[in-house]
Amino acid sequence: MAVIIGHASIDERGKANSGQAGDQTGGEVCTRCWYNRGWTVLLRAKDPAVAERMARACEAGCANNHIGYDQYQRNTLRTRAREANWDLSKITVDCETDCSAFMTVCAEAAGVNMDGTYTSGNAPVTQNMRQKFTSTGSFTALTESKYLTSDRYLKRGDILVYERGHTVMALSNGDLSGAASNTNMTTKGECDVKVETIRKGSKGGAVLSLQTLLIHKYAISCGSYGADADFGSGTDKAVRQFQTAKGLEVDGIVGANTWAALLK
């Protein structure tokens, strides 16, 4: 079973900004399976208790549809989180974040003083997260290949960063992490989407996971609507392109074999 990750991904139109506040699709800020994005650094909390609190904050944020994605309004989550005493489950006003601002708020919700990492009220971005997070004294930066190319060594609360554009948090433990278990994990088994067969006309979280993988991992366009959780003609064309490239049966149906190839 792949490690589950949580992240802020893309807005309801498959765009990076100017969408409606809050999560319109259930997939703007969400959980899904780990995938290899070309991660360049892993930020690990020195205190396991901090890591656990960050993971719980991330889960709460992913489950709260008042929190959506928008790079232009990325710091509004922090305002609402502060008003809710850093309990992301209690935010009731629609707000926005992006991937790196979300990770920063999760650290703050875990009790890490991140004030010094903000520049004129703006949260760290992926390009400077390594320096900003380690400067707090609460995080260690790990760059060994085993942490960046596989999920097997990840620990719950680890933050993976692709410094050219994305960051996510591990919400479960890899089988070689040395962690005792995933007993603290409150997230459901979203990685089971890999066995859910979807096709043109399907909608929902599994479709959003598919589109995100095609767009961000394989650089295959899903059409003008991007990652919108709706398996339309653009996504069908993208799936067939992927199946052709991987030597799979080209039928536009995402079943076990296609999921396995996508998640490899």
Side-chain angles (χ1 to χ4, degrees):
M1 178 68 72
V3 162
I4 296 172
I5 59 172
H7 65 158
S9 178
I10 204 72
D11 80 3
E12 68 274 12
R13 303 158 307 133
K15 307 293 184 181
N17 55 68
S18 303
Q20 187 175 341
D23 193 335
Q24 313 305 311
T25 65
E28 296 184 45
V29 181
C30 62
T31 58
R32 57 169 51 100
C33 298
W34 174 91
Y35 60 95
N36 190 344
R37 180 66 177 85
W39 311 112
T40 52
V41 64
L42 183 151
L43 300 171
R44 175 168 288 173
K46 294 179 180 179
D47 184 346
V50 169
E52 176 58 28
R53 291 196 296 270
M54 286 198 307
R56 289 183 179 271
C58 184
E59 289 169 338
C62 291
N64 188 342
N65 285 340
H66 287 293
I67 305 170
Y69 185 96
D70 191 319
Q71 290 182 353
Y72 288 177
Q73 302 296 324
R74 65 195 299 266
N75 297 296
T76 58
L77 169 60
R78 190 189 196 207
T79 299
R80 300 306 178 191
R82 185 182 284 113
E83 292 171 352
N85 197 28
W86 302 104
D87 184 344
L88 274 58
S89 70
K90 296 188 182 304
I91 293 173
T92 58
V93 178
D94 288 348
C95 58
E96 304 279 57
T97 189
D98 69 1
C99 61
S100 49
F102 184 39
M103 295 297 105
T104 306
V105 168
C106 288
E108 292 182 282
V112 180
N113 184 349
M114 301 295 290
D115 288 346
T117 70
Y118 283 79
T119 303
S120 300
N122 191 35
V125 295
T126 54
Q127 291 89 340
N128 63 24
M129 280 181 69
R130 184 195 308 223
Q131 183 272 322
K132 296 282 191 177
F133 275 62
T134 57
S135 72
T136 67
S138 295
F139 296 90
T140 298
L142 303 174
T143 56
E144 291 180 65
S145 176
K146 68 179 185 179
Y147 297 116
L148 308 178
T149 59
S150 167
D151 62 350
R152 303 191 70 185
Y153 296 90
L154 297 181
K155 292 184 178 181
R156 179 169 158 84
D158 282 348
I159 298 173
L160 286 164
V161 187
Y162 168 60
E163 289 165 293
R164 293 180 62 185
H166 196 42
T167 180
V168 305
M169 185 183 295
L171 296 178
S172 56
N173 296 313
D175 61 348
L176 296 179
S177 67
S181 68
N182 285 314
T183 54
N184 290 326
M185 187 177 141
T186 58
T187 304
K188 305 300 181 184
E190 282 84 355
C191 285
D192 289 340
V193 297
K194 66 179 179 292
V195 298
E196 179 180 338
T197 299
I198 55 177
R199 66 195 75 201
K200 190 173 182 179
S202 299
K203 299 177 185 293
V207 177
L208 189 65
S209 292
L210 164 69
Q211 293 168 327
T212 300
L213 286 166
L214 288 169
I215 294 168
H216 296 295
K217 183 176 180 180
Y218 296 101
I220 299 176
S221 171
C222 289
S224 58
Y225 293 104
D228 61 356
D230 188 347
F231 199 137
S233 57
T235 301
D236 180 71
K237 181 179 179 181
V239 168
R240 292 173 186 273
Q241 180 181 337
F242 176 81
Q243 290 173 328
T244 299
K246 296 298 182 181
L248 302 169
E249 181 180 359
V250 183
D251 56 5
I253 298 172
V254 184
N257 290 339
T258 300
W259 276 121
L262 284 160
L263 294 166
K264 186 173 181 180

